[in-house]
């Protein structure tokens, strides 16, 4: 899911304040200094996308990110791969472009996933083993 510049700034601010924030405080904290009404419009849009929740507090609403930044990034990566015409080519191109640190993290995550699946009697496709 792609975010516009203001959406991204708002999400970054919400991720930095997991306890939540009011729209006016949020507007005042952003470097671009958007109007509170503009921030409210974007918050409604982000809420419709499932990225933001709101809770009534008196006459205002307290806004919070529904998930952490890591979950958002992971979902964005998964959605991008779902759109790939040639999944294998997209993954190979991605893996070929990442830093050694990212490659190591990917390798470790895949190894952990393989161990977890094997522990449940499942295997990863392409390992030459069939699921029981």
């Amino acid at each position: 899911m792609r975010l516009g510049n203001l959406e991204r700034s708002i999400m970054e601010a919400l991720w930095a304040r997991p306890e939540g924030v009011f729209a006016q405080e949020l507007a005042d904290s952003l470097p671009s200094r958007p109007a509170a009404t503009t921030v409210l419009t974007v918050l409604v849009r982000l809420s419709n996308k499932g990225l933001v929740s709101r809770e009534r507090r008196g006459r205002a609403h307290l806004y919070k990110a529904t998930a952490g930044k890591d979950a958002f990034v992971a979902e964005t990566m998964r959605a991008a791969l779902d759109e790939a015409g040639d999944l294998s080519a997209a993954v190979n191109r991605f893996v070929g472009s990442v830093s050694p640190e990212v490659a190591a993290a990917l390798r470790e995550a895949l190894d952990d996933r393989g161990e977890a699946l094997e522990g449940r009697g499942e295997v990863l496709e392409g390992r030459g083993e069939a699921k029981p």
Side-chain angles (χ1 to χ4, degrees), residues 21-82:
V21 64
F22 294 101
Q24 184 64 58
E25 292 176 82
L26 190 55
D28 292 343
S29 73
L30 296 173
S32 62
R33 307 299 282 187
T37 54
T38 301
V39 170
L40 281 167
T41 299
V42 174
L43 286 166
V44 167
R45 199 168 39 217
L46 291 169
S47 179
N48 290 339
K49 292 179 180 182
L51 297 173
V52 171
S53 68
R54 70 182 189 172
E55 174 185 324
R56 183 165 284 289
R57 294 279 177 95
R59 294 179 52 192
H61 287 94
L62 185 71
Y63 292 89
K64 297 179 181 181
T66 56
K69 186 175 183 176
D70 291 344
F72 172 78
V73 170
E75 176 58 25
T76 301
M77 291 167 42
R78 188 203 55 75
L81 288 174
D82 285 350

Side-chain angles (χ1 to χ4, degrees), residues 1-12 15 42 45-46 49 51 72:
M1 175 182 314
R2 291 231 180 243
L3 296 178
N5 290 338
L6 185 54
E7 288 176 319
R8 168 66 73 180
S9 294
I10 288 172
M11 287 308 300
E12 291 288 347
W15 286 320
V42 174
R45 199 168 39 217
L46 291 169
K49 292 179 180 182
L51 297 173
F72 172 78

Side-chain angles (χ1 to χ4, degrees), residues 113-132:
R113 179 173 165 79
E115 290 169 11
L117 291 174
E118 288 170 1
R120 294 191 322 235
E122 301 176 39
V123 295
L124 289 174
E125 193 174 310
R127 288 184 121 182
E129 303 172 34
K131 287 185 178 183

